[in-house]
Amino acid sequence: MVLQAIKYSHHHDHNSLEILDQLKLPHQETYRPISCVEDAWHAIKEMRVRGAPAIAIVAALSLAVELKSGDADKLDKPFGESSAAKTEKTIVEKLNYLVTSRPTAVNLADAAKKLERLVRSAASLPDATAAVVIEAYVTGAERMLVDDVQDNENIGKHGADWILDRNKSGKQPGQVSVLTHCNTGSLATAGYGTALGIVRSLQARNSLKHVFYAETRPYNQGSRLTGFELIHDGIPATLITDSMAATLLHLKRDSENIAAVVVGADRVATNGDTANKVGTYALAILARYHNVRFLVAAPRTTIDLNTKSGKAIVIEERPPQEMTIMKGPRVRWNEDNGYKAGPMTVEKENIEAISIAAEGTQTWNPAFDVTPAELIDGIVTEVGVVEKGEDGRFDLDKVFEVRETGSGESGKRKRMPSPSEGP
C-alpha cells in the first residue's frame, strides 16, 4: 500500500484536510489538520509538507476547506451572505498569499493562476452567487488532486519504458538500478510520485535491481523521507551520503547496472534548465562524466514557458540553522560499546536538537540549484518523454499539444495551455 501523505474528505456541509507531518518522519507518523490557508502557509514554509506537486495540492485544498467552513472569524463575513464579486476578490487575495510560502515551486503559482481563472469565470456569469463561485473553486481544487495521481502514474510508466528501452542495447540488458536524490514519491505529490513513480513502475515490472538514494543535505529528505517510502514499499534500496555519489558511479555502475540518475523538479524553464533540490546539479555533472543517463521527472504543471532559462529562476535561501542543527530521536546503546555495531534502541518519543557545527559558523544555504539543459537526457512528463532535437535543444512546447479525443491518427491537434498560461 502506497503512503498517503494528503488525506482529503468531501462532506455535504464541510471538507477536511490532513497532511502527514514530514518534519516528524521517519520516526513518527503524525497527521496534522489543515483548516485554513494560514495553516497551509505555515505547513509549507516550515516544510511540514514539501515537494512541488504536494505543495500546490495542499495550498489549493486548504482554501477549499476554508471556503466550505464559512468561518466568519477568518472572512470578512460568511460567504453565504457575500456577493459573487466579493467572494472572487477574497479567493484571489488568499491564493496570492499562499503563493508567497514557496516562491521557487512553480506548481504552486500555476495552480493559483488556474484557480483564479476558474473563479473569475464563475463570478462573471449573469446569475452568479457566492455559492456558485465557491463551488467552482472547490471542484477545481479537488480535480487537481485526482489529476496529480493519474499524472504521476503516467510519468512512472513513460520513464520506466524509456530506461528499459535504452537498456536493451546496453552491456547488461535486464534489471536496472537507479540513483535518485531528495524525495519525489508519495510524500512529495498527491500519490505515487514522479521520480519515485518511475522506480515504482520498474519495481512493478520486476525490472528493478536496486535503488541508491542520496541523503540530501542539509534537510535529509533522502534519508528521512525517501528511505521511509522505500522501506514501507519493500523496494530494495541503499542510502548513500551526497558526497559518495561519484564513488558509487565509478565503482558500482557496471556491477549494479546503474542505468540512470532520476530526479524530480521544482521548476523547468522553457529551454529545459531545471531547478531542483540543491545537489541535483552536481549529480548531473557526475552522471555525464560516468556515462549514465540523467532524467528529470516532472508533470507539465512544473514546466514554466514564461521562464526562458534557469538564469531567471529565483533560488530560495533557507535559515542557517538547517545546516548547523540536526533533530532526531535519542539513541540508547544496549551495551556500553560506543558506536560499534551492536543492538540499540531508538527512543522515538524523545526528539532532541543537537549542534553539528562550530559556534559562530557562517552559512550559505540555497534550497535549490539549477541543472543546465545540456546535462539532461530527457524530461519525463505525463504525456511522454521529451528528448532534445537535432539542434541539441528541448522543445517543451510540444508537450502541451494533445490529439482531439476520437480524432484518430489523422485528427487535428489542439494546443493545451501551459501551466503559466492557465486553463
Side-chain angles (χ1 to χ4, degrees), residues 349-368:
E349 300 303 319
N350 294 321
I351 305 297
E352 297 179 345
I354 62 170
S355 173
I356 59 170
E359 203 170 332
T361 296
Q362 299 295 309
T363 68
W364 178 54
N365 187 16
F368 306 93

Side-chain angles (χ1 to χ4, degrees), residues 162-226:
W162 192 91
I163 292 172
L164 294 176
D165 285 346
R166 281 145 189 79
N167 188 60
K168 288 177 183 177
S169 59
K171 295 180 180 179
Q172 300 183 59
Q175 288 190 321
V176 298
S177 296
V178 299
L179 168 62
T180 191
H181 187 63
C182 198
N183 174 257
T184 57
S186 296
L187 296 173
T189 64
Y192 201 72
T194 53
L196 275 192
I198 295 173
V199 168
R200 287 188 165 104
S201 184
L202 289 169
Q203 173 77 351
R205 306 178 194 198
N206 197 31
S207 297
L208 180 71
K209 183 176 182 179
H210 209 81
V211 181
F212 295 92
Y213 60 105
E215 62 177 347
T216 318
R217 285 282 292 144
Y219 228 62
N220 297 318
Q221 293 97 326
S223 59
R224 290 191 303 109
L225 306 179
T226 296

Side-chain angles (χ1 to χ4, degrees), residues 24-94:
K24 296 188 176 182
L25 290 176
H27 303 292
Q28 297 178 14
E29 293 184 53
T30 303
Y31 282 90
R32 187 183 187 93
I34 303 293
S35 59
C36 61
V37 295
E38 287 81 8
D39 289 348
W41 192 95
H42 286 288
I44 294 167
K45 194 68 175 178
E46 296 165 9
M47 296 183 70
R48 296 184 186 279
V49 60
R50 23 93 23 230
I55 286 169
I57 299 298
V58 168
L61 292 177
S62 72
L63 182 49
V65 170
E66 181 173 316
L67 292 172
K68 294 292 282 188
S69 74
D71 191 340
D73 293 334
K74 296 184 175 68
L75 306 168
D76 291 338
K77 57 181 179 177
F79 269 92
E81 301 174 7
S82 303
S83 68
K86 174 65 175 177
T87 305
E88 173 198 342
K89 179 182 177 182
T90 304
I91 289 175
V92 171
E93 288 174 350
K94 289 179 179 292

